[in-house]
Amino acid sequence: MNKLNKLAGMGLTAAIAAIAIGLSSSQLAHHTHASALTIALLLGMLVGNTIYPRIAAHTAEGVVFSKKSLLQLGIILYGFKITFQQIGQVGWAGMLIDATVLCSTFFLAYYIGTRFFKLDSKTSILIGAGSAICGSSAILATETVVKADAAKVAVAVSTVVIFGTLAMFIYPMLFQLNHHLGYLVDAQSFGMFTGSTMHDVGQVVAAGMQMDENTAASAVITKMLRVMMLAPFLVCLSMWWDGKKAHAHAGQGGHAPVKAPITIPWFALLFIAVAGVNSLNILPTAVGQFGLTLDTWILAMATAGLGLATHIQAIRQAGIKPLLLAGIMFAYLIFGGALINHVVRAMF
């Protein structure tokens, strides 16, 4: 039965993906710069808030598989669009931008969350990690360190999904504005801004699809460098969190807490590996084209799964304080991130 449920859920996301890919070639989609992934997200949200709740019990397993495992596979295959030459163009500037955005966003979220909104440390940490690194994936990975309860995780995921979804529409609008103003920022720089400040990998890909090819490539590379910083972030967080708990246990006769296993984003490393193979120009053109076509389908299914799991009531469930914190961090990522990008690029 579990296998049937998984297949049914994957079938649902595949059906939405097929419709989205078909609609993406329409005149309306071309005029509005709506990619297959954006359409898949909107269709997924429409179905997710109408029909899906009635069939969730029979399809949820496949939907979760699509929005998590297929997303990772899709990102790996996206390496067929990337070369090491492009990664080299992002270079040290991109890494410094990512590191600065990550650290400043996380610490600002923790400070504002605990000091001004009086949120508990775990909720502030989860929202900070989701905003600073890679959305819900970072939240789930961070949960393995801080051991937050399901309610706190759900609240954090809801908030970053809300603002991450908004970013999928705002950033392409900013790109079009940049175009109409005569390219105040070049394609590579705008891509670095996008990849260093948007929440989720899938959202960066979806937004990049609505921009030009060079901007999308720069955005994904910068984002993947940021995702790979998740591993060292978790190591540092684990050390700090264990020290914080040990300090709280001091003088109380408590036992030292057991360290949580560190989650390493292996799919990010495989993405780099595929890009490396693609850089060697040893694969037949047909193989590369097949990989890109398959990647579009897989990413559309993953984005459809994300839409199905995004419910309108998530806003109410999140509560006003976590939502305000996530909103402040969203604004910081846009404006503070733009400033960080400008300063670092000026340095290089």
Side-chain angles (χ1 to χ4, degrees), residues 122 142-149 153 241 245 258-261:
K122 291 183 179 181
T142 302
E143 186 276 334
T144 65
V145 175
V146 300
K147 298 296 182 183
D149 58 61
V153 175
W241 188 251
K245 288 194 293 182
V258 178
K259 288 187 177 181

Side-chain angles (χ1 to χ4, degrees), residues 64-128:
V64 170
F65 178 82
S66 294
K67 73 186 185 75
K68 289 186 178 180
S69 299
L70 286 186
L71 173 60
Q72 294 178 353
L73 176 59
I75 295 302
I76 292 170
L77 292 177
Y78 197 87
F80 281 113
K81 289 188 176 181
I82 307 298
T83 65
F84 276 2
Q85 290 76 15
Q86 291 172 312
I87 295 176
Q89 290 174 359
V90 171
W92 291 107
M95 294 187 67
L96 182 57
I97 288 171
D98 280 340
T100 305
V101 168
L102 190 160
C103 294
S104 61
T105 302
F106 177 76
F107 286 117
L108 188 60
Y110 183 78
Y111 182 81
I112 294 176
T114 56
R115 294 294 182 90
F116 288 92
F117 291 129
K118 305 301 180 183
L119 292 169
D120 62 277
S121 295
K122 291 183 179 181
T123 298
S124 300
I125 286 173
L126 292 175
I127 293 175

Side-chain angles (χ1 to χ4, degrees), residues 81-336:
K81 289 188 176 181
I82 307 298
T83 65
F84 276 2
Q85 290 76 15
Q86 291 172 312
I87 295 176
Q89 290 174 359
V90 171
W92 291 107
M95 294 187 67
L96 182 57
I97 288 171
D98 280 340
T100 305
V101 168
L102 190 160
C103 294
S104 61
T105 302
F106 177 76
F107 286 117
L108 188 60
Y110 183 78
Y111 182 81
I112 294 176
T114 56
R115 294 294 182 90
F116 288 92
F117 291 129
K118 305 301 180 183
L119 292 169
D120 62 277
S121 295
K122 291 183 179 181
T123 298
S124 300
I125 286 173
L126 292 175
I127 293 175
S131 301
I133 310 173
C134 52
S136 55
S137 298
I139 291 172
L140 296 175
T142 302
E143 186 276 334
T144 65
V145 175
V146 300
K147 298 296 182 183
D149 58 61
K152 289 183 175 62
V153 175
V155 165
V157 169
S158 298
T159 58
V160 298
V161 165
I162 290 167
F163 289 104
T165 301
L166 284 176
M168 290 178 58
F169 301 98
I170 292 176
Y171 278 68
M173 291 172 61
L174 293 175
F175 176 80
Q176 292 301 321
L177 178 62
N178 181 57
H179 170 68
H180 290 309
L181 292 177
Y183 287 109
L184 298 179
V185 178
D186 62 77
Q188 181 181 334
S189 297
F190 195 91
M192 291 172 68
F193 163 66
T194 300
S196 65
T197 57
M198 280 189 70
H199 290 71
D200 192 84
V201 178
Q203 294 162 352
V204 171
V205 174
M209 291 277 188
Q210 300 177 68
M211 305 174 190
D212 62 46
E213 186 174 341
N214 290 332
T215 304
S218 178
V220 172
I221 293 167
T222 305
K223 181 61 183 178
M224 294 311 297
L225 290 174
R226 187 167 154 216
V227 170
M228 286 188 285
M229 292 179 183
L230 177 61
F233 166 80
L234 292 174
V235 172
C236 294
L237 177 65
S238 179
M239 294 171 61
W240 174 76
W241 188 251
D242 285 347
K244 183 180 175 69
K245 288 194 293 182
H247 179 74
H249 280 73
Q252 300 179 11
H255 296 288
V258 178
K259 288 187 177 181
I262 300 300
T263 302
I264 299 175
W266 294 110
F267 73 96
L269 302 180
L270 290 174
F271 160 82
I272 297 296
V274 172
V277 173
N278 189 46
S279 302
L280 298 175
N281 293 319
I282 59 176
L283 294 176
T285 303
V287 173
Q289 289 299 321
F290 175 77
L292 292 176
T293 301
L294 179 62
D295 186 49
T296 299
W297 274 90
I298 290 175
L299 287 174
M301 289 177 65
T303 310
L306 179 64
L308 288 168
T310 303
H311 302 142
I312 300 301
Q313 61 264 33
I315 299 177
R316 295 193 297 270
Q317 292 175 350
I320 187 62
K321 288 184 177 180
L323 194 62
L324 284 174
L325 176 59
I328 290 172
M329 301 323 301
F330 177 56
Y332 172 75
L333 284 168
I334 293 177
F335 297 103

